[in-house]
Amino acid sequence: SATGIVLSLSAQIGEQVDFLRFLPEPSTRGERRSWWIALIAAGPGWAVVGTLKMLFGSFLAVLILNAGTPADEAVEPTRMYLFAFETGLTPEFAILATAAFVILSQLKINVTNAYAGSIAWSNFFSRLTHHHPGRVVWLVFNVAIALLLMEFGVFGALESTLAVYSHVALAWIGAVTADLVVNLPLGLRPKRIEFRRGGLFDINPVGTGAMVLATLVSFALWFGALGDAAAAFSSLSALGTAFLAAPVIALATQGRFYIARNLDRAEGTGCTICQNQFDPEDMLYCPFHAGPICSLCCSLESRCNDACKPKNARAGGMSQNLASRILPPSIAKLQASVFGSFFLFSAVFALLVGAILMVVYQSLEVMVPDAADAVSHALTLAFGLLAVLVGVVAWLYALSNESRDLARTESEIHNRRLVAEIEAHEETDAALQKAKEAAEAANEAKSRYLLGITHELRTPLNAILGYAQLLETDPTLPDHRHGAVRVIRRSSEHLADLIEGLLDVSKIEAGRLDVARDELALRELLTQLTTVFTMEAGEKGLSFIANIDSSVPDFIFGDEKRLRQILINLLANATRYTDQGSVTLTVSYRNDTARFVVQDTGRGISEAMQERIFAPFERIQDPENPVPGTGLGLTITKLLVEILGGELTLESEPGKGSRFDVVLYLSRSNRVRTENREPVRSGYQGQPKHILICDDSIAHRRLMEDALGPLGFRLSMAETGELALDFCRNEPPDLALVDQAMPGLSGTETCGRIRQDLGLDLPLIMVSANADAAPGRFQPDDCYDALLSKPVNVDLLLDTIGRHLGLTWTYADGEGDVQAGSAKAALADEALRELLEALSIGHVAAVRANVERLARQGGASPAFIARAREMAERLNLRGLKKMVEEMRDGS
C-alpha cells in the first residue's frame, strides 16, 4: 500500500518536467547556479525535496509510535507536528508552532490541489466537450467535490483510491517514457512532437493501447490473479508493461497514427477566432474558418467536426474502420448505428459506476468488516438501479447524438451548396469584372478616339469659323452675301458645340470636367439665345416668349460655355418636342441665385419616363412623330447643373407640356453695361508689332495672316517648334502664337525653350485644338501666358493680343467715326423716319429691312451699316435707336 501511495505521486512529480520549458539556457556561472536552484526547488528536482519530506515524515511516524501513541492517532499530522515541536520547545510555543505549521501546510496543499485540479478538469472537459466555461468554474467544482468527500468521510478510503490511481498513472508514465526514450531514437515515431488537436489522430494506439493494456494487467495482478506476491508488484507491472508495449505497438503500426495531416505553418501569428497573437508553433491553418487558428481555439471548436482531418483520423471513423475489419458486416453496421452508440455508452458508464461502487465497497469492508455481506447486497442493488438510469441516459444521449449528426450532415449539405453558390457567384463576378474591364478599355479607347477625332475636326473648323468672322466684318463684302456668311458662322459655332457635347460625357465619366469662373454678359447671352430660338420657333409656327426679370444683372461670374450649353439643350428640347403653342423662357435673379425656367406646351413626359429621361440615350418614343436626337442632351444638362452646384427639376404632364426648372448660384458683377460696342478694328496706334505664328497647319497660318496682316502686324510663319526657335534667335518677336500639337517639339516644349534656353520674356499665347483647352484655364506656373482653343474667336484673339502688347486700337472710320459722322448727310429723310418708326414699335423684321435698304441706297457709311446690322442681330434696338437719333440730330 505504501508503495502504491509513493508510486501514485510519481505522475505528479513527472509533470514537473514541463517546468523546463520556462527555464532559459544558462550562459554564465551565476545563471547556471540559479538554473539548478530553480530546477531543484520547483522543477523535476522537486522529486528530491519530496523524497526528503517523505523520509522526514516516516521518521516522525517511527518516533511517535515508539512514544506509545496509538496507531490511529499517529497518522494525524497534528499529533506528529506537536510531538516534534514538544521535543525542543515549551508546551505553549509548541502548540503555537504546530497550529501555524498545520495552517500553512493545509493552505499550501489545498490551494495547490484546488488550482491543479481546476487545470486538470478544464483541460479534460475542454478536449472532450469543446467548451471552456472558465477555470474558476472548475476551481469551484473541485472544491465542492473535496467538501463532499470530507462530509461523507470518504477520505478514509484514501489509501485504496491512491492505490487504484497509481496503476493508471504509472501506465501513462510508462507509455509516455517509452515513446520518448525508445520510439523516438529508433525512428518508430515522427521526430516532431505534436500537441495541436488539428494535427493529431483522436486515438493513437501506441499510447492509448499501451496504457490500457498495462492498466488491465496491473489490475489483474492487484486483484490476486497470480497470488499475493504478484499483487505487491501490480503498480510496478503497470509501469513495465506500458514501457514494453509502446514500442511493440509503434512497430506494428509503423507510426501511422501520430500526425493526421500535413502541418504546414499557418501564415501569420494572429488567430482568426480570438484575434490574439501566438507563436507560429502554436498556430495551425483551419480550412473550416479559412485562416490561421491557435491551439486553444482549435480544441474548443465544436462546429467543424474535425473537417481538417481525414475521416480515419477521427474516433468514430477509427472505430468503424476497426469494426469493419474484425467484426461481421451485420454487426459492424449495427455498431455504426444509434444502437451501437447506445450499447457503447451504456457499457462505458456501467463500468465506471461499477468501479466507483467497488472502491466504496472496499473502503466499507475495511471500516465495517462485519457488515460486508449487507454492504455488498446494498451496493449490488444500487448498481442495478444505476444501470437502469445509465441505460435511459445512454438512450437519450444516443438519440440526441443521432439528431446532432443529422443536423450536422444537413448543415454540411447546406454549406456545400452555399459554397458552390458562392463559387458560382465568384465566377460570375469574375466574368462581370472581366466584362467591366473590357468595357472600360473600350470606353477609354472611345475617349482616345474622340479626343483624336475632335482635334482633327477642330483644325479645319478653325479655318471655316475664322474666315466667316473675317468676312462678316469685311466692308467690301456684297450686301446680299452677309446672310450667307452669318449662316456659315452660326453653323460652324453649332458644329463646335456638337463636338464639345460629344466630349462632355467622357469628361464627366472620367471626373475631370473643368469649370471656369469668368465674367460673362448674362443679358447679352439671353438676348442671343432669344434671337436664335425665336427664329427656330417661328419656323415651326410656335411663339417664343422671353420673360427676363428686371432684377437680372448685366454681368455675372460663371462658366459661360456651360451655362449656354444648359440653356441651349433645354430650349432645343422644348422646341423639338412642341408641335403647337409656345415655348417660354423665364429668368429671375435674387440673392446671387439665378432661376431659369423653360416651359412648353408640347407632348409632355409620362411619370414612368420622367425617372429615365435623364439617363444616357433615353428619348421620348413616339413612332408617329419621331424626333431626331442622340438622347444625351438632358443627361449632359443634368450632370452639368449638378457639377455647377445647382438643381434641375422636372414637372410634366402628357399632352400638356413640360417645365424644366434650373437653379444656379451665379454671383453678380459690378461691371456696368454700355450700349455701344467697339466697331470693326482697322489697326492700332504706334510702331508695327512683330508676331510669330507657329503652327503645322497651313490653313491656320493663312487664317492668322488674313486676320492680323491687314491690321498692321508684321508676321513670321514657322511650321515646327524648331523653326520657331530659329526665328526667335535671329529676330525675337514681340509676341508668339504657338500651336500645342506639332510634330517634333510640342507647343509646351517650344514655349519652355523660348523662356529657358533663349531667355526671352515675350508674351506667349498657346493655341490648341485639344478638348481641355479653354480661355483662362491654365496654371500660373505654365510656360505660356494665355490659352486659346480652336476654332479661334478672332475678337477674343485680338483682345488677348492687345492686352499683352498694350495696344490702342483704331477703327474703320477713325476713332469715334462709327457714331454717325458723315452718314447724316447721306441718309434720306424717308428711310430714316421709317427706321425710327420700326425701332419705336420694336418691329425687328422692319428694322432689319430698313438697315438693308439704307445699305443698298448708299445712305450710310459701311461702318454705320456694319454696326447697325450687328446691333439689330443682337436685338439692341435701344442702342440702335439712340445711334440713329444722334445722327439725325447732327450729333
Side-chain angles (χ1 to χ4, degrees):
S1 297
T3 303
I5 294 175
V6 173
L7 291 176
S8 67
L9 298 177
S10 61
Q12 191 176 21
I13 295 172
E15 291 175 354
Q16 303 300 319
V17 177
D18 191 56
F19 186 81
L20 291 173
R21 293 194 301 124
F22 304 99
L23 286 178
E25 289 293 333
S27 57
T28 64
R29 184 174 181 180
E31 289 181 355
R32 282 195 294 270
R33 185 184 303 108
S34 301
W35 189 87
W36 278 106
I37 293 174
L39 180 71
I40 298 299
W46 185 76
V48 178
V49 180
T51 302
L52 294 176
K53 287 163 58 178
M54 294 176 65
L55 292 175
F56 183 71
S58 301
F59 175 71
L60 285 180
V62 172
L63 289 180
I64 196 172
L65 289 173
N66 291 335
T69 304
D72 56 345
E73 296 180 8
V75 296
E76 295 180 4
T78 305
R79 295 296 302 271
M80 297 173 66
Y81 297 151
L82 182 59
F83 178 80
F85 288 127
E86 283 180 346
T87 58
L89 299 174
T90 61
E92 294 80 5
F93 283 104
I95 293 174
L96 292 175
T98 300
F101 200 82
V102 168
I103 293 173
L104 180 63
S105 62
Q106 290 301 313
L107 282 175
K108 184 265 180 185
I109 293 171
N110 291 317
V111 170
T112 303
N113 289 341
Y115 179 72
S118 68
I119 294 176
W121 285 111
S122 177
N123 291 340
F124 176 75
F125 279 99
S126 294
R127 290 279 185 171
L128 187 64
T129 65
H130 306 300
H131 184 63
H132 184 63
R135 192 166 292 167
V136 175
V137 174
W138 298 115
L139 180 64
V140 174
F141 179 71
N142 200 54
V143 172
I145 291 177
L147 291 175
L148 289 174
L149 293 177
M150 285 192 298
E151 290 298 326
F152 287 107
V154 181
F155 280 115
L158 182 60
E159 181 178 341
S160 301
T161 304
L162 290 177
V164 174
Y165 171 71
S166 67
H167 295 82
V168 179
L170 289 173
W172 170 66
I173 290 179
V176 172
T177 303
D179 194 55
L180 296 176
V181 175
V182 179
N183 296 346
L184 185 60
L186 294 179
L188 300 178
R189 56 149 298 147
K191 294 185 179 299
R192 181 176 179 178
I193 299 176
E194 184 57 53
F195 65 94
R196 295 168 293 185
R197 166 198 168 194
L200 297 173
F201 279 80
D202 287 352
I203 299 174
N204 187 349
V206 177
T208 306
M211 180 179 171
V212 172
L213 178 61
T215 301
L216 294 176
V217 171
S218 63
F219 277 160
L221 294 178
W222 186 53
F223 284 111
L226 298 179
D228 294 337
F233 296 96
S234 59
S235 297
L236 292 177
S237 68
L239 180 64
T241 303
F243 190 84
L244 296 175
V248 175
I249 299 175
L251 181 62
T253 58
Q254 298 180 353
R256 297 192 307 270
F257 299 96
Y258 282 89
I259 306 299
R261 67 182 178 101
N262 184 20
L263 294 177
D264 293 335
R265 299 290 176 87
E267 295 183 1
T269 58
C271 179
T272 305
I273 307 301
C274 64
Q275 305 299 322
N276 293 322
Q277 299 292 321
F278 297 92
D279 293 334
E281 293 78 10
D282 200 31
M283 301 295 295
L284 197 65
Y285 179 78
C286 178
F288 182 78
H289 292 284
I293 186 173
C294 67
S295 60
L296 178 59
C297 292
C298 182
S299 298
L300 299 180
E301 179 57 60
S302 60
R303 298 168 296 172
C304 66
N305 195 29
D306 289 333
C308 59
K309 296 188 290 190
K311 185 177 180 181
N312 62 352
R314 308 171 197 171
M318 294 181 71
S319 62
Q320 292 177 14
N321 189 23
L322 182 62
S324 63
R325 290 186 178 184
I326 63 176
L327 296 176
S330 59
I331 300 178
K333 185 177 179 180
L334 179 64
Q335 182 269 338
S337 66
V338 63
F339 299 103
S341 300
F342 165 71
F343 288 125
L344 179 61
F345 187 84
S346 300
V348 171
F349 276 88
L351 290 175
L352 181 61
V353 170
I356 293 174
L357 294 179
M358 182 176 293
V359 172
V360 174
Y361 171 74
Q362 289 185 348
S363 301
L364 294 178
E365 186 180 20
V366 174
M367 297 172 61
V368 285
D370 298 336
D373 295 336
V375 170
S376 176
H377 179 73
L379 292 178
T380 302
L381 180 61
F383 177 77
L385 295 175
L386 290 175
V388 174
L389 181 61
V390 166
V392 173
V393 174
W395 181 245
L396 294 176
Y397 169 79
L399 292 178
S400 65
N401 194 38
E402 184 183 32
S403 300
R404 185 171 63 252
D405 290 341
L406 291 175
R408 183 184 292 115
T409 302
E410 187 71 18
S411 176
E412 291 176 353
I413 293 174
H414 286 295
N415 286 339
R416 285 195 295 270
R417 292 175 179 174
L418 182 59
V419 169
E421 184 176 357
I422 292 174
E423 292 175 351
H425 281 299
E426 289 177 349
E427 293 178 359
T428 303
D429 183 68
L432 291 175
Q433 186 66 25
K434 187 175 181 181
K436 177 186 175 184
E437 293 174 356
E440 289 177 349
N443 187 54
E444 185 177 353
K446 175 206 69 176
S447 299
R448 290 197 302 269
Y449 172 76
L450 287 177
L451 288 174
I453 197 65
T454 52
H455 182 277
E456 299 301 324
L457 289 174
R458 284 170 183 268
T459 301
L461 185 61
N462 175 58
I464 297 172
L465 182 57
Y467 278 113
Q469 295 177 77
L470 293 178
L471 290 173
E472 195 173 14
T473 58
D474 187 358
T476 64
L477 184 72
D479 296 336
H480 66 281
R481 294 300 182 190
H482 278 286
V485 172
R486 283 196 296 271
V487 171
I488 295 174
R489 180 177 61 81
R490 288 175 182 172
S491 299
S492 301
E493 292 174 347
H494 182 61
L495 181 57
D497 290 338
L498 289 178
I499 294 173
E500 291 296 329
L502 288 174
L503 291 173
D504 279 340
V505 172
S506 298
K507 290 181 179 180
I508 293 171
E509 289 176 349
R512 55 184 183 88
L513 184 69
D514 296 325
V515 176
R517 190 178 185 274
D518 304 319
E519 188 179 48
L520 64 97
L522 179 58
R523 281 191 170 271
E524 182 178 341
L525 172 62
L526 296 175
T527 301
Q528 294 174 3
L529 294 178
T530 300
T531 302
V532 171
F533 284 98
T534 297
M535 297 174 58
E536 289 193 10
E539 292 175 357
K540 291 189 65 176
L542 306 174
S543 60
F544 184 85
I545 304 171
N547 297 323
I548 314 299
D549 193 84
S550 59
S551 60
V552 175
D554 293 329
F555 293 90
I556 60 171
F557 290 101
D559 191 326
E560 180 177 4
K561 174 184 174 182
R562 304 304 177 190
L563 180 59
R564 181 192 299 272
Q565 193 172 3
I566 291 171
L567 296 178
I568 287 178
N569 282 339
L570 294 178
L571 291 172
N573 278 345
T575 306
R576 184 180 299 129
Y577 289 99
T578 301
D579 299 323
Q580 59 183 359
S582 63
V583 175
T584 303
L585 170 64
T586 303
V587 184
S588 60
Y589 190 88
R590 183 178 181 183
N591 296 331
D592 288 345
T593 302
R595 180 182 295 273
F596 305 90
V597 179
V598 177
Q599 190 167 4
D600 61 68
T601 59
R603 306 176 188 178
I605 306 171
S606 64
E607 185 175 354
M609 193 65 185
Q610 290 180 27
E611 300 177 356
R612 300 160 40 205
I613 196 65
F614 294 106
F617 308 108
E618 288 287 348
R619 298 170 53 210
I620 299 176
Q621 302 296 332
D622 189 352
E624 298 181 358
N625 297 302
V627 178
T630 62
L632 290 174
L634 287 179
T635 303
I636 296 174
T637 301
K638 184 173 179 62
L639 292 173
L640 288 176
V641 171
E642 292 175 350
I643 289 174
L644 294 176
E647 182 183 15
L648 172 61
T649 57
L650 166 63
E651 295 179 5
S652 183
E653 185 176 351
K656 294 186 178 181
S658 304
R659 171 191 170 104
F660 289 87
D661 198 333
V662 178
V663 178
L664 292 172
Y665 178 80
L666 301 170
S667 58
R668 182 191 300 266
S669 172
N670 295 325
R671 180 179 173 186
V672 179
R673 182 183 181 187
T674 58
E675 293 296 332
N676 295 325
R677 294 184 54 183
E678 290 183 350
V680 178
R681 296 176 177 89
S682 61
Y684 55 89
Q685 299 178 2
Q687 296 296 322
K689 299 293 184 181
H690 180 200
I691 295 180
L692 173 64
I693 311 296
C694 180
D695 198 296
D696 61 329
S697 171
I698 187 173
H700 180 76
R701 296 199 303 272
R702 288 178 178 175
L703 171 63
M704 294 295 100
E705 185 176 7
D706 292 340
L708 301 178
L711 298 178
F713 291 105
R714 188 163 61 89
L715 305 177
S716 297
M717 303 293 174
E719 299 180 6
T720 63
E722 290 81 359
L723 291 176
L725 293 175
D726 292 339
F727 274 112
C728 291
R729 290 190 189 95
N730 299 328
E731 186 180 0
D734 297 303
L735 181 143
L737 298 174
V738 185
D739 184 27
Q740 171 62 38
M742 296 184 296
L745 290 179
S746 67
T748 303
E749 293 171 337
T750 302
C751 292
R753 294 184 62 173
I754 291 174
R755 287 278 167 83
Q756 298 174 6
D757 296 352
L758 303 182
L760 299 180
D761 192 20
L762 67 150
L764 300 175
I765 300 175
M766 185 72 69
V767 182
S768 174
N770 291 334
D772 293 333
R777 295 181 187 173
F778 64 97
Q779 300 299 325
D781 56 349
D782 285 335
C783 57
Y784 46 88
D785 300 288
L787 176 64
L788 298 178
S789 63
K790 294 180 181 180
V792 175
N793 185 302
V794 176
D795 287 335
L796 179 61
L797 172 66
L798 294 177
D799 289 340
T800 305
I801 293 175
R803 184 172 66 255
H804 284 86
L805 293 179
L807 300 179
T808 300
W809 298 102
T810 59
Y811 303 97
D813 295 326
E815 188 172 356
D817 191 43
V818 294
Q819 295 183 354
S822 60
K824 178 181 177 182
L827 188 63
D829 292 339
E830 182 179 358
L832 176 62
R833 180 178 57 80
E834 292 178 359
L835 177 58
L836 289 175
E837 288 178 356
L839 289 170
S840 299
I841 62 176
H843 197 315
V844 178
V847 169
R848 291 173 177 168
N850 279 283
V851 170
E852 297 300 326
R853 177 184 173 187
L854 288 172
R856 289 193 303 271
Q857 294 177 353
S861 66
F864 173 82
I865 296 298
R867 180 63 176 159
R869 284 171 176 165
E870 182 180 4
M871 297 179 76
E873 182 71 20
R874 297 177 55 249
L875 296 182
N876 189 2
L877 302 183
R878 183 186 301 175
L880 179 58
K881 181 179 179 182
K882 182 179 179 181
M883 186 176 70
V884 174
E885 288 176 347
E886 288 176 351
M887 288 192 306
R888 187 190 63 177
D889 296 336
S891 172

